[in-house]
């Protein structure tokens, strides 16, 4: 490999990547492809977040089964595959459009069948069956008859029509799912004609008929053997990218973009890595800024979990792996969509596994909390930007400036946002807002940290200081007393004790909020520890 092969940004097809010359950088994933394709028959399902390389994986399977040997020279699979046999391929890609109504779903499925007919010189009007599912099954049979060969079926982003319609209308999403179920049922009915079927998506919907029955799909989403089939491992970054990472702080790269765990080596988001290198190793939220499924903000508004619960949730295996359209589970959806990852797999005797979840990296941590902050406060991104001075104030230990930034932020929250959040326990609301505000700024922050005497409301860390914070609402000012209720509680409960041997300076902060004013009432600091 040359030191600087071109980065394959925006390339979605394996043939474009590899032909006529291997000028583009390619991380060889054909070992996994070989393990899946070498059997005489196989049905596989893989869930991964958007822009994780699923389309390139489908394209690689397509080139392999069509016998395009020249594209695989120098790759793991080249001398292991039987190139004397090729197969007709049906490739259905549902990622290309945004689905706004049921007709757009049906049109895209119909167009997929039409493109397959054109590719294999089968007149579309020869498909006499009525309905998309029956036409799909008829096409499979006609290809089998024409080539006297079994068929390969590749379906990319099978669930996108449901995701798109879910953002606007739950009933429309359910109808979209019914259309897909009817279409995909042709796979089960055509089992005798199929050599290989591979399906990708973000979510695995509970109750979809194609995942049960005679041709039960093998869900490899959490199969450790295929943990690295999409995304880049640390070893791949160090061995496949030439000198692209020269003079780059790899620990910072890990913090920003690594952390996705599918029960094997952790992987980097490939979209982030390619954009990061293309922009001269400039750290930014590339994947997040490329767009999120519209339903994410809708689900957030349901308030199933608080922001600081996301890194300490434990889910049973069955809840993690599937997604029920009639009972939306925010945490399961966030994991499947790439906003959470698996921190730990916990074996429960006689009951299988549970999974402790975590936010994968800095990009998601900051971006997710910005989204939470907008939902809690109604503040748009432009309003948040003016408060970045809070970050500098904490790092420079200018707590007067920090207090001013906090007051400015709460002053900007519209009154009706307090009303729509139905705030009964104002202390919990202020704690939530402060947490997501600081996390959205990129500060290292954790909350409800357990000690032997209770739980700390909030802890902020910088390289030189640890700030232990307690919140109070409508607390009386300390007339004649040395400290207010917040600082007194920190001392009484010794919330600072876990950090006494840390080496950094410990600062205690009491934030006292006023319900009537909806802002800080008073702010006190104790640096005597």
């Amino acid at each position: 490999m040359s030191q600087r092969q071109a980065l394959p940004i925006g390339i979605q097809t394996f043939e474009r990547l590899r032909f006529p010359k291997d000028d583009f950088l390619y991380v060889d994933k054909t070992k996994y492809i070989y393990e899946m394709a070498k059997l005489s028959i196989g049905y596989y399902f893989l869930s991964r977040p958007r822009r994780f390389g699923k389309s390139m994986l489908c394209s690689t399977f397509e080139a392999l089964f069509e016998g395009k040997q020249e594209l695989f020279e120098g790759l793991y699979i080249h001398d292991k595959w039987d190139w004397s046999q090729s197969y007709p391929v049906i490739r259905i890609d549902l990622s290309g459009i945004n689905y706004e109504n049921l007709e757009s779903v049906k049109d895209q499925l119909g167009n997929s069948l039409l493109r397959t007919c054109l590719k294999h010189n089968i007149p579309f009007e020869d498909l006499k069956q009525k309905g998309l599912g029956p036409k799909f099954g008829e096409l499979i049979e006609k290809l089998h008859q024409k080539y006297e060969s079994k068929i390969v079926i590749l379906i990319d982003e099978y669930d996108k029509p449901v995701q798109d319609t879910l953002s606007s209308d739950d009933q429309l999403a359910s109808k979209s799912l019914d259309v897909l179920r009817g279409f995909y049922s042709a796979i089960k009915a055509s089992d005798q004609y199929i050599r290989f079927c591979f399906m990708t998506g973000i979510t695995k919907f509970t109750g979809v008929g194609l995942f049960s029955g005679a041709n039960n799909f093998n869900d490899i989403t959490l199969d450790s053997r295929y943990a690295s089939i999409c995304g880049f491992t640390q070893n791949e970054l160090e061995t496949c990218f030439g000198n692209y990472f020269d003079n780059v702080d790899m620990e910072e790269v890990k913090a920003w973009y690594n952390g996705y765990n599918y029960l094997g080596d952790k992987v980097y988001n490939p979209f982030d890595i390619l954009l990061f290198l293309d922009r001269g190793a400039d750290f930014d939220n590339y994947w997040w800024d490329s767009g999120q499924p519209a339903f994410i903000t809708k689900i957030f508004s349901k308030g199933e979990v608080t922001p600081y619960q996301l890194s300490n949730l434990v889910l049973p295996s069955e809840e993690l792996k599937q997604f029920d359209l009639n009972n939306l589970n925010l945490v399961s959806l966030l994991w499947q969509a790439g906003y959470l990852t698996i921190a730990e797999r916990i074996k429960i005797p006689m009951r299988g596994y549970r999974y402790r979840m975590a936010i994968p990296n800095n990009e998601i941590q900051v971006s997710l909390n910005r989204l939470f902050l907008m939902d809690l406060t109604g503040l748009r991104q432009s309003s948040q930007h003016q408060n970045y001075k809070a970050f500098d104030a904490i790092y420079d230990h200018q707590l007067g400036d920090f207090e001013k930034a906090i007051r400015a932020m709460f002053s900007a929250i519209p009154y009706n946002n307090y009303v729509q959040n139905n705030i009964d326990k104002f202390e919990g609301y202020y704690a939530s807002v402060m947490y997501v505000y600081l996390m959205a700024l990129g500060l290292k922050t954790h909350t409800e940290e357990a000690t032997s005497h209770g739980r700390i409301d909030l802890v902020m860390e910088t390289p030189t200081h640890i700030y232990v914070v307690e919140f109070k609402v409508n607390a009386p000012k300390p007339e004649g007393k040395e400290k207010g209720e917040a600082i007194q509680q920190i001392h009484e409960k010794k919330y600072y004790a876990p950090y006494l041997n840390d080496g950094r300076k410990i600062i205690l902060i009491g934030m006292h909020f006023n319900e009537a004013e909806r802002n800080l009432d008073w702010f006190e600091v104790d640096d005597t520890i």
Side-chain angles (χ1 to χ4, degrees), residues 470 472 475-476 478 483-490 512 522 524:
E470 182 69 20
K472 293 295 177 184
K483 298 294 179 183
E485 284 188 12
I487 297 294
Q488 286 185 56
Q489 182 170 326
I490 296 175
H512 300 76
W522 48 289
E524 65 176 335

Side-chain angles (χ1 to χ4, degrees), residues 453 485-496:
H453 299 286
E485 284 188 12
I487 297 294
Q488 286 185 56
Q489 182 170 326
I490 296 175
H491 279 287
E492 290 171 2
K493 301 292 187 180
K494 293 184 169 55
Y495 288 155
Y496 51 80

Side-chain angles (χ1 to χ4, degrees), residues 345-383:
R345 189 186 194 205
I346 306 166
K347 185 171 178 59
I348 308 298
M350 307 297 292
R351 296 178 63 184
Y353 292 93
R354 292 181 182 175
Y355 297 91
R356 187 169 63 82
M357 310 307 293
I359 294 174
N361 53 45
N362 183 68
E363 177 188 25
I364 304 304
Q365 183 77 272
V366 170
S367 301
L368 204 57
N369 280 284
R370 287 177 184 170
L371 196 59
F372 268 125
L373 184 61
M374 285 189 284
D375 182 64
L376 283 170
T377 67
L379 296 176
R380 309 308 300 172
Q381 196 70 21
S382 58
S383 300

Side-chain angles (χ1 to χ4, degrees), residues 249-262:
D249 184 346
M250 286 304 301
E251 291 304 312
E252 191 171 4
V253 176
K254 286 181 185 178
W256 268 82
Y257 304 124
N258 198 5
Y260 293 94
N261 178 17
Y262 297 99

